[in-house]
Amino acid sequence: MTEAQIQLQNALTTTFLANLVFLSEYDKDLYHRVDELSRMIENGTYEEKYHLEFIMEDGDFDIYDVVNEKYLYNRKPKKYNNSLISKVKFDEKQSIINISDYFSFTDRIEINKDYFDLDTLEELSSITINDAQDYKDILGKIKLEKKKLKYIRKFIFFGTLLGRHIPKIAEKVDAHMYLVLERNLEIFRLSLFTIDYTILAKKGAIFSVMDDNLEEEVKINKFLTIDLLDNNIIKMSSTNINISKYIDNFLSISSVLSSESYDYNRMIYTHTNRVTKYINDGYKFILFKKTKEKSNFFENIPILYIAAGPSLDENIEWIKENQNKFFIVTIGAAYQKLINNNIRVDIITTVDEQLHIVADKQFNDEAVSKIDKNTLILASSLTHEKVINKFNKENLYLFEIFSSLHKDSVSFGGFSVGEVTLDVLLQLNAKNIYLIGLDLVLNQKTGETHSKNSASGTIKINLNENQSRETFTVRGTTIKVKNNSNKYVLTTPLFYSSIKSVEDKLFSKSKEVKVYNLSKNGAYFEGSIKKRTNVLKIDLFKDVSNIVIEYKKELNKYSREGLLKVNINNIKGEVYFFENNLQTILNNIEKKKFSNIEEFLLEILTIGSVLREKKYFYFDLIFYNYLNIYGPYILYTFNDKKLKFKNKKIEEIKFTSLRQIKKIIDDYIICLKRVI
């Protein structure tokens, strides 16, 4: 070995050891996995698939793939790395831009009804579209193209290889947060010999290296939830080696966090508006803290929970044959199909807020007339009053979404009735739940989202179409997930959000609760038990076909009309805070002068800190939702060297924001005062 080779070897070892010291303090799990791999290589229990080689004619390092007998840099690492570095520019290319679709509308929408009487999503969205137009009037039409960015806050490295491009890109962009994604631990270990990763940690870095799917999602979610408003533009660099699933995961998780899935105006004019009306009108609300703690009705009674996915069609005869062995719970989109097949239904749940889909399709007058007199209806507080009035009030029980005004209850969240109903069953203290139709994947033959003739908004997607990632929609794009037969199948980002929501609920359940997934072609849920109908020992199940009358008595024990005095006093305190303390905070912000838009947004963000300190978490959620729709647009627009915004623009944005926030607060207070 020559002197030069010895020096090179020593330099590589020094860099590797320095990186290990860094990882041992910064990411202990990754450090231990790298250290264990090194030990296995040293003692011969792991045979390396990749070798680090110095290419003399190029003056840089390459990776030799032993299995495929090729160089990953094609023996031209300098050219490869220089190309990656040169592609990173202060423009909108090579980036993920997160600007709300509300800004894509060009005109205001006339609303001729009281906001508290709006029925449809289109009407409710119109309020938000018009609020967005206020900002567009100030800042003009947003320019996504040909921007010259002033700064880059977040950056992703999709794949590392040897990472020789990483330090130079980091020096170039000087981001506040980095995400490093690499599928292969052995390749990442080789990169520890060739670069100093501490440069990324000067501001902040998250490493996801050969993580399992769940851990990878956790880390991507963490990256996105730190400084949410900085997600308006996320720059990236990709090695293009084994990274397609990373992009799918990243885009899917981004859609889960989107404030557009349920915006702040729907939170007030649907949720808060309706729940306070129903409490004031004396409807029964289930007290789920009590059912969870005290009810043991379902200790030995299996629940068959039937949703409206494609697998319902595959199992309809089995359900019909074995219905008496289960307490049957279904959703609004599926119950008509069950009744038409002479299948008993004990509980029907409904969550959807829209009037026309629910009233005209799921619960039209003819369909409601077929519901058995003993069937119980569990409806969310989002449900429209005209739908609520269709049901027998004696059999109707309401549950709260997002936030609970009842001290001895809980609220539910999710992206669809599917996972919300599952959570309701868990809170009712169910011990054995069998799932059919909670598929959350597409029919792999037809591309349909639901079973045939289900009373739901079925969408059909062309599965043969080659989809790019230049456009990404929550309902129209397809991504791959694992199904209940260990195959990878296609689903939509919206269903993916529901899958993650189901898994969150299953993760928090007690060990005594068993959730069996009987849908062969439905999504696989972490925390569920895969089961086939043909292996169930159904002959050992007892007949439970006539117990719903008894369960109604049980629910009545754990339900309430109206609020406890302690709840009323808490709400009075909240109203006082909004009318006085918060109003003072807003008035003080209005008087301040701000030298840049970031300074103003940071000041606005302090309101959230005050709300959390006072434990007004639901309004904090509304407030965060508002900021997460408009903040990214404002920051992205100002992040342009070519645009010369004067202080007048900042003042206009300040007054617009404060005016809109005050309107939100005023209407929120109107709702709260109904129940005090």
Side-chain angles (χ1 to χ4, degrees):
M1 188 178 289
T2 66
E3 183 65 27
Q5 289 174 323
I6 293 172
Q7 289 179 356
L8 179 59
Q9 186 70 38
N10 289 339
L12 292 173
T13 303
T14 301
T15 302
F16 179 74
L17 293 175
N19 275 320
L20 285 184
V21 171
F22 159 65
L23 287 177
S24 69
E25 298 173 353
Y26 196 81
D27 189 330
K28 288 186 178 180
D29 175 68
L30 181 54
Y31 161 75
H32 286 303
R33 288 194 288 131
V34 171
D35 188 52
E36 179 62 24
L37 178 59
S38 297
R39 292 177 190 277
M40 291 170 66
I41 290 171
E42 288 172 10
N43 63 31
T45 57
Y46 179 86
E47 187 175 346
E48 292 176 90
K49 297 179 178 64
Y50 302 96
H51 291 160
L52 181 64
E53 289 194 20
F54 188 76
I55 309 300
M56 292 295 296
E57 64 270 23
D58 199 67
D60 209 338
F61 295 96
D62 203 332
I63 300 173
Y64 182 68
D65 181 342
V66 177
V67 176
N68 297 301
E69 298 181 334
K70 67 176 183 178
Y71 288 91
L72 299 189
Y73 288 92
N74 201 26
R75 295 186 64 86
K76 295 178 180 179
K78 274 190 176 178
K79 180 181 178 182
Y80 189 98
N81 291 323
N82 288 337
S83 174
L84 289 177
I85 296 164
S86 65
K87 284 179 182 177
V88 177
K89 297 176 181 177
F90 281 74
D91 58 19
E92 79 287 350
K93 297 174 183 176
Q94 294 281 107
S95 64
I96 298 168
I97 299 173
N98 291 298
I99 302 297
S100 171
D101 285 341
Y102 288 120
F103 289 98
S104 64
F105 293 85
T106 56
D107 299 309
R108 294 180 182 276
I109 299 173
E110 188 174 351
I111 306 172
N112 297 317
K113 295 166 67 176
D114 188 299
Y115 286 2
F116 293 105
D117 294 327
L118 300 181
D119 295 325
T120 67
L121 293 187
E122 290 76 17
E123 290 173 339
L124 289 156
S125 296
S126 297
I127 312 174
T128 315
I129 291 166
N130 290 345
D131 286 348
Q133 291 296 321
D134 288 345
Y135 287 106
K136 289 180 72 174
D137 288 346
I138 299 169
L139 298 175
K141 185 179 179 182
I142 190 166
K143 297 176 177 64
L144 296 178
E145 299 84 17
K146 297 181 180 179
K147 285 181 75 73
K148 193 172 183 181
L149 301 175
K150 291 189 287 187
Y151 54 78
I152 294 168
R153 299 287 193 227
K154 288 189 173 183
F155 198 94
I156 309 172
F157 290 100
F158 285 108
T160 63
L161 289 182
L162 290 178
R164 299 282 281 173
H165 58 294
I166 290 176
K168 289 184 179 179
I169 290 176
E171 288 175 2
K172 189 175 184 179
V173 303
D174 193 28
H176 287 189
M177 176 60 64
Y178 296 94
L179 176 63
V180 180
L181 302 165
E182 173 54 58
R183 285 262 171 251
N184 193 294
L185 180 62
E186 187 180 344
I187 286 177
F188 178 76
R189 177 182 173 274
L190 290 181
S191 75
L192 298 178
F193 287 94
T194 61
I195 67 161
D196 179 6
Y197 274 105
T198 60
I199 188 172
L200 298 184
K202 289 178 181 178
K203 296 288 182 70
I206 295 170
F207 293 88
S208 179
V209 180
M210 211 168 85
D211 286 322
D212 61 38
N213 197 55
L214 191 59
E215 186 60 27
E216 178 186 307
E217 290 169 355
V218 167
K219 290 179 179 178
I220 292 174
N221 189 77
K222 182 180 178 181
F223 173 77
L224 286 168
T225 51
I226 294 172
D227 296 327
L228 273 159
L229 299 187
D230 286 340
N231 292 337
N232 65 90
I233 180 168
I234 302 172
K235 294 286 288 183
M236 59 185 176
S237 174
S238 172
T239 61
N240 292 319
I241 296 177
N242 201 19
I243 56 92
S244 60
K245 193 168 187 299
Y246 275 136
I247 294 175
D248 274 359
N249 276 358
F250 190 89
L251 293 172
S252 300
I253 293 167
S254 295
S255 73
V256 172
L257 296 173
S258 171
S259 293
E260 293 177 52
S261 60
Y262 206 92
D263 72 41
Y264 62 96
N265 281 311
R266 288 168 71 189
M267 287 181 174
I268 294 174
Y269 300 114
T270 298
H271 171 252
T272 312
N273 176 31
R274 291 179 185 174
V275 72
T276 51
K277 275 185 178 179
Y278 297 150
I279 290 173
N280 197 43
D281 291 344
Y283 284 95
K284 290 179 292 192
F285 281 78
I286 303 173
L287 308 176
F288 285 96
K289 285 185 180 178
K290 290 191 173 183
T291 62
K292 188 69 174 172
E293 293 169 4
K294 298 180 179 180
S295 177
N296 61 0
F297 189 88
F298 291 116
E299 187 75 32
N300 298 303
I301 297 173
I303 292 176
L304 180 61
Y305 167 31
I306 304 169
S311 68
L312 172 55
D313 294 325
E314 301 164 14
N315 292 282
I316 195 76
E317 289 302 320
W318 182 88
I319 295 169
K320 186 175 181 179
E321 183 181 343
N322 297 289
Q323 59 181 300
N324 291 344
K325 301 299 180 74
F326 297 95
F327 186 92
I328 297 178
V329 177
T330 192
I331 63 175
Y335 84 93
Q336 291 185 52
K337 186 163 197 162
L338 300 182
I339 291 174
N340 291 338
N341 280 275
N342 297 314
I343 295 170
R344 185 194 80 259
V345 177
D346 296 312
I347 288 178
I348 302 171
T349 66
T350 180
V351 173
D352 205 312
E353 72 202 74
Q354 297 188 72
L355 173 61
H356 300 301
I357 287 179
V358 181
D360 299 340
K361 198 168 186 180
Q362 294 184 6
F363 295 103
N364 59 61
D365 292 343
E366 182 184 356
V368 170
S369 68
K370 295 179 181 178
I371 297 175
D372 188 89
K373 64 179 181 178
N374 293 321
T375 298
L376 306 180
I377 307 295
L378 272 59
S380 84
S381 53
L382 300 178
T383 310
H384 197 284
E385 190 172 12
K386 290 180 181 177
V387 177
I388 290 285
N389 290 337
K390 287 174 175 280
F391 304 128
N392 176 358
K393 196 171 182 179
E394 289 300 309
N395 286 355
L396 176 64
Y397 300 84
L398 302 187
F399 56 91
E400 294 172 88
I401 299 291
F402 302 128
S403 176
S404 177
L405 292 176
H406 291 82
K407 185 175 182 291
D408 39 7
S409 193
V410 298
S411 59
F412 298 90
F415 297 88
S416 73
V417 62
E419 64 267 27
V420 171
T421 298
L422 176 61
D423 201 9
V424 166
L425 295 178
L426 293 172
Q427 296 303 318
L428 291 175
N429 235 4
K431 298 301 182 186
N432 291 281
I433 304 172
Y434 295 80
L435 308 177
I436 284 180
L438 190 63
D439 295 351
L440 301 177
V441 298
L442 298 170
N443 184 314
Q444 301 301 296
K445 294 180 180 178
T446 67
E448 292 176 326
T449 53
H450 294 81
S451 68
K452 292 186 183 303
N453 303 317
S454 70
S456 187
T458 300
I459 295 172
K460 187 172 183 177
I461 295 173
N462 184 356
L463 301 181
N464 297 317
E465 184 180 5
N466 185 22
Q467 297 193 353
S468 74
R469 284 297 178 259
E470 293 178 5
T471 58
F472 188 82
T473 63
V474 295
R475 288 180 172 84
T477 303
T478 59
I479 57 176
K480 287 184 178 180
V481 294
K482 189 164 77 169
N483 78 349
N484 215 33
S485 299
N486 292 323
K487 296 178 182 177
Y488 279 90
V489 294
L490 294 174
T491 190
T492 67
L494 185 62
F495 276 165
Y496 175 87
S497 300
S498 289
I499 292 168
K500 294 297 109 184
S501 184
V502 167
E503 291 179 341
D504 286 343
K505 298 174 195 323
L506 292 178
F507 180 76
S508 61
K509 71 178 177 60
S510 68
K511 293 181 180 178
E512 292 76 30
V513 179
K514 306 296 182 187
V515 178
Y516 301 94
N517 193 347
L518 305 181
S519 300
K520 179 181 177 182
N521 296 311
Y524 169 71
F525 306 125
E526 291 281 352
S528 68
I529 301 167
K530 288 189 240 181
K531 210 79 169 175
R532 297 286 175 265
T533 55
N534 60 356
V535 300
L536 284 181
K537 297 179 180 179
I538 201 74
D539 293 339
L540 301 179
F541 287 35
K542 297 178 181 177
D543 189 317
V544 292
S545 58
N546 296 309
I547 63 169
V548 69
I549 297 173
E550 290 301 312
Y551 189 61
K552 180 179 176 180
K553 296 176 184 177
E554 180 86 354
L555 269 189
N556 285 335
K557 282 168 40 181
Y558 301 117
S559 301
R560 176 182 293 122
E561 299 171 11
L563 292 174
L564 290 172
K565 188 174 182 179
V566 64
N567 297 126
I568 294 171
N569 288 337
N570 288 340
I571 295 169
K572 284 180 178 178
E574 188 171 353
V575 169
Y576 179 87
F577 170 81
F578 284 125
E579 290 184 331
N580 296 277
N581 305 63
L582 190 53
Q583 189 63 48
T584 300
I585 292 171
L586 293 174
N587 290 339
N588 289 336
I589 293 174
E590 191 170 344
K591 294 172 186 176
K592 288 186 179 181
K593 299 290 183 183
F594 298 96
S595 58
N596 58 65
I597 197 65
E598 289 84 1
E599 185 182 344
F600 166 67
L601 288 173
L602 284 172
E603 185 73 22
I604 285 288
L605 282 168
T606 61
I607 295 173
S609 302
V610 174
L611 292 168
R612 289 187 291 276
E613 184 181 334
K614 295 292 292 183
K615 297 184 179 179
Y616 298 143
F617 296 119
Y618 184 61
F619 194 82
D620 180 45
L621 181 61
I622 294 173
F623 180 71
Y624 145 79
N625 186 292
Y626 172 87
L627 286 182
N628 203 33
I629 287 176
Y630 302 116
Y633 170 85
I634 294 168
L635 285 171
Y636 186 78
T637 306
F638 273 85
N639 186 9
D640 194 332
K641 285 183 177 180
K642 295 184 292 184
L643 297 178
K644 305 295 181 184
F645 284 120
K646 296 180 180 179
N647 288 341
K648 180 184 176 184
K649 293 287 187 184
I650 299 174
E651 282 292 293
E652 290 178 15
I653 288 172
K654 179 182 75 174
F655 285 117
T656 295
S657 297
L658 294 176
R659 174 175 54 78
Q660 291 183 358
I661 291 169
K662 286 177 181 179
K663 170 66 174 169
I664 293 168
I665 292 170
D666 289 344
D667 287 351
Y668 184 68
I669 290 172
I670 287 172
C671 295
L672 293 187
K673 283 186 173 180
R674 291 188 187 128
V675 296
I676 61 175

